Amino acid sequence: METTPIIVTCELTKRYNGRTAVDNLTLSINEGEIFGFLGPNGAGKTTTLLMLLGLTEPTSGSAEVMGLNPARDAVKIKSKVAYLQENMGFYSDLNARQMLNFIAELNDIKGKQADERINKALETVGLDSEASKKISAYSRGMRQRLGIAELLIKDSKIAFLDEPTLGLDPDGANRLIELIQTLCSERKITVLLSSHMLDQVQKICNRVGIMIKGKMVAHGPMAQLAKEKLGVDNQTYSLEEIYMRYFKES
Amino acid sequence: MQHLKTIIKKELSDHFSSYRFTIIFALIAMVSLIVAYMIGINVRKELEGVAKPQFIFLMLFTSSGNLFSLVQFVAFFGPLIGLLLGFDTINRERNEGTLSKLLSQPIYRDTVINAKFLAGVSVISIIMISIILVIIGLGLLVLGIVPGIEEIWRIFIYLVISIIYISFWLGISILFSILFRSTATSALAALAVWIFFSFFVAIGASAVADALVPDIKQDIKVAGSEADYLRSRIINQFSLISPMHLYTRATATIIDPTRKTTQTFIEIGRMESISIARFSGTLPLTQSILIVAPYIVSLIALTIICFALSYTIFMRQEIRSF
């Protein structure tokens, strides 16, 4: 189970007008794991996620998500992958229920099944009492939870979470991370989590990858990276130290 | 198809609940009511003493009343409806980040642009149909005449041409909303195109005609009329690049059966004018359609080109902006 790769990329490269956003990215992510995707802003994390979803075409190299090629079977991939982008991108003049209904319809979930799933998802993320409020009145944390509800409705096998804790207060961020962790272990969802809150990443991720200026400078289990970079064997390392070490080196 | 419907439904509900739509609709309803009422009163005066009037109902659309006729009004201000409905179609979604949310759902990318265009066309149709119904209703009240079958057909064809014409402007504004990141820029660009076609083409056409055929009327009287004829032709050919001109020409002949040609009087040759004068009756519907067919086809072609351009650019564009 732990060893089947569900996302594989091979020398994936993306250039925007002469600037290389993602440079020869080779990566494999196993089914059911939570992969921490780290790196400074503009390192190419979001671009990588967009390429895996087929929303933008790679300049060269290839990728496979659940055995499908994003350049050709984007629609099939998108029906199985939930992508929560940085700013969430919900229509702010809809209310939560309307938004989820719209998403359900686009995912061919209809009628009673859609209602059931929406009610259940809203309850799970704790938004059932505010479901008829317009999304424009939602706080950041509520929007993130609504994003998690979307993930539940789509019943995705893979989730791409792009900075889900950005701009949340520490308590809200912790609760969100916990929510993600429980849901993923319950439903065996593979998660690609990009975040700057390294202590949280350290808490829930199995493996991490550090991306700097489009290049994946290191990836693997955290203990292994700690051993390589810091030369420590026990549990005393922090991910932040590892990350800073890599960041200064590049 | 299912996804297309879902997005169209959402777009329509967005349009109908927006203040923008309410304002457009209020404005248009107001103007068409005023126009219809003025004309209704004017038509009565115009018809006094006419022995056997024909196609009175159509005069509601063509008679210019005190200011302008409805046909002129739509030709001039119809584009604004299209521009207002479309100028922020894509770039607003891009700026708010909802575009990537929408596209990360399992749908094809073209579904989004198709749905947006179709939703716009539906709104335009609803606006045009209601304006025409209001005018027909007022016409029935003020004039007390029931329109004949042919008149209804002519009004229907006029309606279809108008919808295509305004859809062309919708296409232009959607194109700009794809090209420009900022909604203000795309709105201004669209307005600039509208002003270009409505004022500059007309001025440009006469400038070109002046340059090619200098005014020699003062010297030789006979050559003067020849020159007038040439000038008028040049102005006409040149104006054909403007969709506004195409639309005015196409609808004028459809809605006014007494017109037998899209040409102006100066352009008509001597023999032609004699033959026209001999058959002074109105033109049958099929003949009217034949005369304006090229204009209608050009309008449809322009609309399709515009949409195809938006489509291609949208399909190739990067989701993220840098």
Side-chain angles (χ1 to χ4, degrees), chain A residues 40-229:
Chain A
N41 295 329
K45 291 171 292 177
T46 306
T47 309
T48 310
L49 297 182
L50 289 179
M51 280 193 282
L52 290 176
L53 276 170
L55 285 183
T56 180
E57 270 182 48
T59 314
S60 65
S62 66
E64 243 179 42
V65 179
M66 310 180 88
L68 298 164
N69 182 348
R72 253 175 288 138
D73 294 310
V75 172
K76 275 187 201 156
I77 291 176
K78 287 189 282 187
S79 69
K80 287 169 186 149
V81 178
Y83 169 51
L84 304 194
Q85 64 204 52
E86 245 176 277
N87 57 1
M88 298 319 289
F90 291 122
Y91 290 103
S92 49
D93 43 356
L94 297 184
N95 65 36
R97 198 176 287 277
Q98 287 168 328
M99 185 70 216
L100 293 179
N101 242 322
F102 181 59
I103 287 169
E105 261 181 73
L106 290 180
N107 282 282
D108 296 317
I109 305 162
K110 290 183 202 96
K112 249 192 167 165
Q113 196 194 5
D115 290 340
E116 274 168 27
R117 279 200 200 183
I118 289 171
N119 286 333
K120 212 167 155 238
L122 285 171
E123 210 175 301
T124 313
V125 300
L127 283 176
D128 41 349
S129 56
E130 343 230 10
S132 48
K133 253 198 209 168
K134 278 196 175 184
I135 297 178
S136 52
Y138 273 30
S139 70
R140 268 204 94 88
M142 286 159 85
R143 277 175 213 224
Q144 301 293 351
R145 280 187 279 153
L146 187 58
I148 304 288
E150 178 194 337
L151 187 157
L152 295 175
I153 283 164
K154 288 177 78 170
D155 200 15
S156 317
K157 288 281 151 264
I158 304 180
F160 292 165
L161 309 180
D162 200 351
E163 314 266 7
T165 51
L166 191 79
L168 294 191
D169 58 89
D171 175 52
N174 271 330
R175 277 189 296 158
L176 187 73
I177 289 286
E178 271 161 30
L179 183 64
I180 292 170
Q181 196 175 18
T182 21
L183 290 175
C184 295
S185 56
E186 271 172 20
R187 294 176 176 241
K188 296 254 178 305
I189 302 175
T190 311
V191 177
L192 234 168
L193 173 76
S194 116
S195 176
H196 293 309
M197 301 187 91
L198 298 173
D199 49 334
Q200 273 146 0
V201 172
Q202 189 175 3
K203 236 187 278 168
I204 68 166
C205 289
N206 309 96
R207 291 197 306 151
V208 294
I210 299 175
M211 202 170 183
I212 291 167
K213 287 182 188 154
K215 284 198 174 89
M216 187 65 95
V217 291
H219 69 102
M222 269 177 283
Q224 187 192 324
L225 296 184
K227 204 171 168 187
E228 276 172 21
K229 273 291 136 184

Side-chain angles (χ1 to χ4, degrees), chain B residues 241-257:
Chain B
I241 64 166
S242 159
M244 211 167 280
H245 193 75
L246 287 173
Y247 172 78
T248 323
R249 293 239 150 167
T251 48
T253 315
I254 280 294
I255 206 87
D256 183 1

Side-chain angles (χ1 to χ4, degrees), chain B residues 13-31:
Chain B
S13 85
D14 277 359
H15 277 309
F16 291 141
S17 55
S18 70
Y19 287 119
R20 188 190 315 175
F21 179 80
T22 322
I23 292 168
I24 297 179
F25 208 85
L27 261 175
I28 288 172
M30 202 164 63
V31 172

Side-chain angles (χ1 to χ4, degrees), chain A residues 14 16 46-47 50 55-56 75 78-79 85 87-91 102-103 105-108 150 154, chain B residues 2-3 6-7 9-10 93 96-98 100-109 318-320 322:
Chain A
K14 176 74 189 180
Y16 286 109
T46 306
T47 309
L50 289 179
L55 285 183
T56 180
V75 172
K78 287 189 282 187
S79 69
Q85 64 204 52
N87 57 1
M88 298 319 289
F90 291 122
Y91 290 103
F102 181 59
I103 287 169
E105 261 181 73
L106 290 180
N107 282 282
D108 296 317
E150 178 194 337
K154 288 177 78 170
Chain B
Q2 191 55 50
H3 297 158
T6 309
I7 302 180
K9 220 169 66 191
K10 188 202 160 279
E93 294 233 11
E96 286 175 8
T98 51
S100 34
K101 167 110 290 173
L102 191 57
L103 289 174
S104 70
Q105 305 304 325
I107 53 171
Y108 293 102
R109 202 187 265 212
E318 293 289 350
I319 295 290
R320 293 185 88 193
F322 280 95

